[in-house]
Amino acid sequence: MTAWADHGPLPGVVGRAVEHEQLTGLLGGATPVTLTGPAGVGKSLLARAVLEGHAATGPDTVVRIACWDGLTADELPGALLRAAGLPPHGTTTALAAHCRTRRAIILLDDCDPLLDACADLVRHLLRAEPELRIVATARRPLGLPGERVLALAPLPVTLGEGIAGPAVELLVARSGPAAPELLVAVCRALEGCPLAIGLAARQLDRMTLAQLAARLDGEGPLHYCGPSPTTRHTSLHAAHAAGYALCSPVDRQVWARLSILPGDFDPWLAECVSSSSDVPAAAVDGALERLCTASVLERVREAEGAPGSATALPPRYRLPYGARQFGRARLRAAGDEDGALRRFRQACAALAAEAQITWQGTGQQLAVRLVEDEQHHLDAALTRPPLDAEDALSALEIAVSLWFQWAACGFRREGRAHLDRLLRLSQEDTALRARALWLAGYLAAQENAPTAAEPLLAQAWTAAVMHADTDGLARIAHAHAVLALYREDTTTAVACLEEAARHTSRDPWFGPGPAHGWALLAIAVAPLDAARARAAARRAWETRHADSDFWLHSTILYAHAVIERAHGDPAAALRACRRALVAKKLIGDPLFVAGARSILAGLRRGVRCDLPVRGPGAGATRWWRRNPSDLRRQPFFARLRTPS
């Protein structure tokens, strides 16, 4: 008998050619096959399409039951017997013999609500007839010996530069041709989920594709509805609600709380946002694994390296967009959203603090990697409106801890925007606010914006005096030196840098320390006094906090390039400038890189043409001198919002 007489004709299966071939090949074996995948990915549709085609071209028949159609575990064997045309009170042995005689393939469709009962039934059937062919569809495997699992993922949106993927093909099949960029935008917003694409396409009878793309950006597809043979497939909300109902109470809470995480995450961050008095921290790891097995979570990276080793990397997970929307709705309904958001921001503050310590300690490249790994979360923690004054301080703490990202890696304008906004929300006179005032002023100084920098540095000076923060006073002097260098006021710059360089930092984990003051001093005096400049550069290296300080190393090498160029050795200057550029590229900063390339080009011409060196300092290029042709760098966190 046909397995889907109760469901009418099948729609075409689009974009599953590889999986279609894999499942067809697996039907030739005698081991049970289970199609798994998240809600709405098309497991049942593919299984039925393959089996229907298999039965249409040979003597095979298909016996199907839908386990989500109100059956109980006790009713399952009888339902399968009835589907095979046998009396409902027969035995599994008789059923197995009947299926072998009729060359029947058994399809246990949507096993999730009866997963254990389906697994027991398959065991009994295979014990009676080991060669029996059985296919199951579920969000998780049945857990049987020898079970072959074929996991379906969402459809790829693109296959490469300018090549539309199967998700776009499916949308075109449902809605008709349209502008490629709109088709890609819609499919990307829906993350290639076939059910979501089909439901979204049904909205095109009341809106254009452009309007649909705009609405998906704002509200998402969770409640878009359409006719379906099964209630849980009438909307994404219903599909996720069906899976949510099968989860344990702890797994439901973890799912809901993970919905505030916009990007992929590791177990530590999951534990931070999920654990509370009703969800022990020790229970979160198990919940992650169960949600992953149930196709709620995606595992985007397996654990790497030996646990506890320096190179070990934890696994990373991701909650797809539809599941995240559903979880967020459950979180709000439970009144738990504010608590989860507060824990999230506190966790991000700890991440930023760890990155700051790593930058000044074990390795700047590791710090940059950490920020890049967590950029989705840091961006959300910085930009989401704070819940109250305490929460605003947590956001400000993140912005201050990421000072190196803004000041040393070249994202100054973005850092200033975050600090300006968060300083308005955090008016209480605290040591943290004093640091934020200095950092905002320092970034403005680096941007050569004295009208913005000077008032901020004045406020920072007052706060530093009030808090007896001598480190802060030294950092303020350093920032004033940067402003003086822009004005080409060498006397003021040298005085400020000497004050900053002579200071002994009590807190070496924040901001440019004395070594950076000496390095900048070397650059400031290089055109005038080679011996003094070399001594300052040497002092900078001797007072470094860590050998892996590429920010400092590149600045010292740049100082050597300026010294040698100004005082007669362009070949040595060329070598130093090349090394400075290599060191700086390890951590970024396009302004420095543009300046180094400019001086490098001049040095190459001089060495190649054996041009005479003009007087001391003649034509010395400083990286802080902007070139109108320099490209403006895209904000770091803005990359998250730019379709790739």
Side-chain angles (χ1 to χ4, degrees), residues 390-524:
E390 181 182 356
D391 201 36
L393 278 177
S394 293
L396 185 62
E397 185 180 355
I398 296 168
V400 170
S401 292
L402 292 177
W403 69 269
F404 65 90
Q405 184 71 19
W406 321 129
C409 297
F411 297 97
R412 301 178 182 91
R413 186 162 302 177
E414 187 171 5
R416 285 180 64 189
H418 286 307
L419 287 162
D420 289 348
R421 174 173 43 80
L422 293 170
L423 279 167
R424 289 194 296 270
L425 298 173
S426 305
Q427 296 291 331
E428 187 179 352
D429 184 15
T430 61
L432 176 63
R433 191 172 194 276
R435 286 190 173 195
L437 287 166
W438 167 80
L439 180 55
Y442 180 47
L443 296 176
Q446 288 184 314
E447 289 279 289
N448 191 21
T451 55
E454 287 167 354
L456 288 165
L457 293 174
Q459 293 180 64
W461 185 88
T462 301
V465 170
M466 291 290 293
H467 291 280
D469 181 7
T470 56
D471 285 3
L473 294 173
R475 287 190 289 265
I476 291 166
H478 188 104
H480 278 298
V482 173
L483 287 173
L485 287 171
Y486 270 116
R487 296 194 304 268
E488 300 191 6
D489 181 357
T490 304
T491 302
T492 301
V494 169
C496 290
L497 288 168
E498 286 179 336
E499 178 184 344
R502 284 194 299 267
H503 175 72
T504 302
S505 293
R506 294 180 298 179
D507 178 10
W509 304 110
F510 181 72
H516 285 273
W518 287 114
L520 208 55
L521 180 61
I523 294 172

Side-chain angles (χ1 to χ4, degrees), residues 191 255 258-259 263 265 296-298 317-321 323-324:
E191 295 189 340
W255 177 352
L258 292 177
S259 67
F265 52 88
V296 175
L297 286 178
E298 294 177 5
Y317 304 91
R318 176 180 173 274
L319 193 61
Y321 185 54
R324 192 162 66 245

Side-chain angles (χ1 to χ4, degrees), residues 343-354:
R343 292 191 297 271
F344 166 68
R345 195 142 13 213
Q346 290 167 350
C348 287
L351 281 171
E354 179 186 352

Side-chain angles (χ1 to χ4, degrees), residues 36-267:
T36 65
V41 80
K43 301 179 291 293
S44 296
L45 185 63
L46 177 63
R48 292 167 55 198
V50 170
L51 294 182
E52 183 180 63
H54 200 76
T57 58
D60 297 335
T61 60
V62 179
V63 176
R64 170 188 174 268
I65 57 170
C67 303
W68 219 311
D69 288 353
L71 291 176
T72 65
D74 293 337
E75 294 169 341
L76 186 63
L80 190 56
L81 285 162
R82 282 194 298 272
L86 297 174
H89 300 296
T91 65
T92 53
T93 301
L95 173 62
H98 173 82
C99 290
R100 178 180 56 78
T101 303
R102 299 294 182 89
R103 295 178 54 86
I105 303 173
I106 295 176
L107 174 60
L108 302 177
D109 208 2
D110 297 326
C111 294
D112 298 281
L114 301 175
L115 199 72
D116 292 340
C118 286
D120 286 340
L121 177 59
V122 172
R123 287 191 193 95
H124 284 96
L125 289 170
L126 291 177
R127 194 175 295 127
E129 290 291 341
E131 299 301 314
L132 204 60
R133 291 171 296 170
I134 302 175
V135 176
T137 67
R139 300 184 189 188
R140 68 186 77 200
L142 297 182
L144 297 169
E147 178 184 15
R148 303 294 296 273
V149 177
L150 179 58
L152 299 188
L155 297 172
V157 177
T158 58
L159 299 178
E161 191 66 33
I163 302 177
V168 176
E169 183 184 353
L170 176 62
L171 181 57
V172 171
R174 298 286 189 271
S175 64
E181 62 274 11
L182 284 177
L183 293 167
V184 169
V186 168
C187 292
R188 183 171 282 125
L190 299 172
E191 295 189 340
C193 173
L195 176 61
I197 291 171
L199 293 171
R202 293 183 179 276
Q203 314 309 309
L204 296 177
D205 59 354
R206 58 188 182 90
M207 67 180 76
T208 66
L209 190 63
Q211 291 171 328
L212 176 63
R215 293 189 65 176
L216 286 175
D217 267 348
E219 66 181 40
L222 192 64
H223 296 286
Y224 285 162
C225 293
S228 171
T230 57
T231 302
R232 69 185 180 284
H233 287 152
T234 55
S235 71
L236 273 183
H237 183 278
H240 287 298
Y244 185 81
L246 299 176
C247 292
S248 70
V250 168
D251 292 358
R252 293 179 192 177
Q253 287 180 296
V254 171
W255 177 352
R257 292 171 183 178
L258 292 177
S259 67
I260 64 169
L261 301 178
D264 57 87
F265 52 88
D266 61 14

